[in-house]
Amino acid sequence: AQSVAQPEDQVNVAEGNPLTVKCTYSVSGNPYLFWYVQYPNRGLQFLLKYITGDNLVKGSYGFEAEFNKSQTSFHLKKPSALVSDSALYFCAVRDGVNAGKSTFGDGTTLTVKP
Amino acid sequence: EAGVAQSPRYKIIEKRQSVAFWCNPISGHATLYWYQQILGQGPKLLIQFQNNGVVDDSQLPKDRFSAERLKGVDSTLKIQPAKLEDSAVYLCASSRRGGSYEQYFGPGTRLTVT
């Protein structure tokens, strides 16, 4: 069975500092990996994805993520955090074989302090 | 382009009552998903449709939950009878056909069972 782990419930960083939100996954076959963000009182929004190719993918709002096949990880990063980045972040994996069934992690709350 | 529409936004019912949720996906999206998101957890896939066929419903409690997607467009999710543990946000999402495509989420329906 496929699974996603987000080991940190909460990440706190100061504005202007780099941020990392961690994600590891387990899936049979080649994974499709996604990050979504949920701002307060708003729906889930797509940030970025890894399907194939370059291990470093860039997405919306200056976020990027690095796919590491040997460590089965897909960590979300941003070089310089903004207070407006404070939100709930979800990592998700889709199975490229079984009709793309989705599994989400339990989320990491990112708080960026001024 | 119009986003994923869901109704109602909020619903309060007593246990053992029935409830139905409606979802209209983004035009042209072949795949439709229903998720249950309990507070503090990530979205859990209940059922995935491709056009009007079911791709995955392995986590749908079929003794009380049912869903349909007639004509391959909008969809309804029903709970009958509801239990206290069904209190959650029910999310509908849609995507283009294939596991490599990101999902677009509706605003969700917050269900409270008393």
Side-chain angles (χ1 to χ4, degrees), chain A residues 32 34 36 38 41-46 49 51 88 90 94-96 98-107, chain B residues 31 33 35 37 40-43 45 48 50 55-56 58-59 91 95 98-107:
Chain A
Y32 297 150
F34 301 80
Y36 292 85
Q38 188 170 35
N41 300 316
R42 295 178 65 180
L44 277 158
Q45 299 176 32
F46 167 73
K49 66 181 178 182
I51 303 303
L88 181 57
F90 290 97
R94 300 193 71 173
D95 183 342
N98 294 320
K101 177 181 176 179
S102 291
T103 300
F104 280 75
D106 283 336
Chain B
T31 310
Y33 317 77
Y35 290 89
Q37 186 176 17
Q41 299 180 17
L45 181 67
Q48 178 177 337
Q50 191 146 286
V55 172
D56 187 287
S58 58
Q59 298 189 98
L91 298 168
S95 74
S100 65
Y101 290 103
E102 60 273 20
Q103 297 171 57
Y104 292 83
F105 285 82

Side-chain angles (χ1 to χ4, degrees), chain B residues 22-74:
Chain B
W22 173 83
C23 173
N24 186 256
I26 291 173
S27 177
H29 281 188
T31 310
L32 185 147
Y33 317 77
W34 282 103
Y35 290 89
Q36 180 192 60
Q37 186 176 17
I38 293 173
L39 188 63
Q41 299 180 17
K44 182 181 84 171
L45 181 67
L46 293 176
I47 189 166
Q48 178 177 337
F49 293 95
Q50 191 146 286
N51 298 312
N52 60 349
V54 175
V55 172
D56 187 287
D57 63 357
S58 58
Q59 298 189 98
L60 186 73
K62 298 179 185 64
D63 58 333
R64 299 185 300 107
F65 286 64
S66 64
E68 61 182 11
R69 190 184 184 198
L70 299 176
K71 302 180 181 179
V73 182
D74 56 356

Side-chain angles (χ1 to χ4, degrees), chain A residues 63-74:
Chain A
F63 283 92
E64 56 191 28
E66 186 169 11
F67 171 63
N68 188 315
K69 187 173 183 178
S70 63
Q71 297 186 5
T72 61
S73 67
F74 188 57

Side-chain angles (χ1 to χ4, degrees), chain A residues 42-57:
Chain A
R42 295 178 65 180
L44 277 158
Q45 299 176 32
F46 167 73
L47 264 184
L48 51 77
K49 66 181 178 182
Y50 171 83
I51 303 303
T52 187
D54 195 349
N55 288 344
L56 184 66
V57 294

Side-chain angles (χ1 to χ4, degrees), chain A residues 1-19:
Chain A
Q2 63 192 48
S3 64
V4 174
Q6 293 182 241
E8 301 157 317
D9 291 336
Q10 180 100 25
V11 170
N12 298 311
V13 299
E15 188 173 32
N17 283 0
L19 69 87

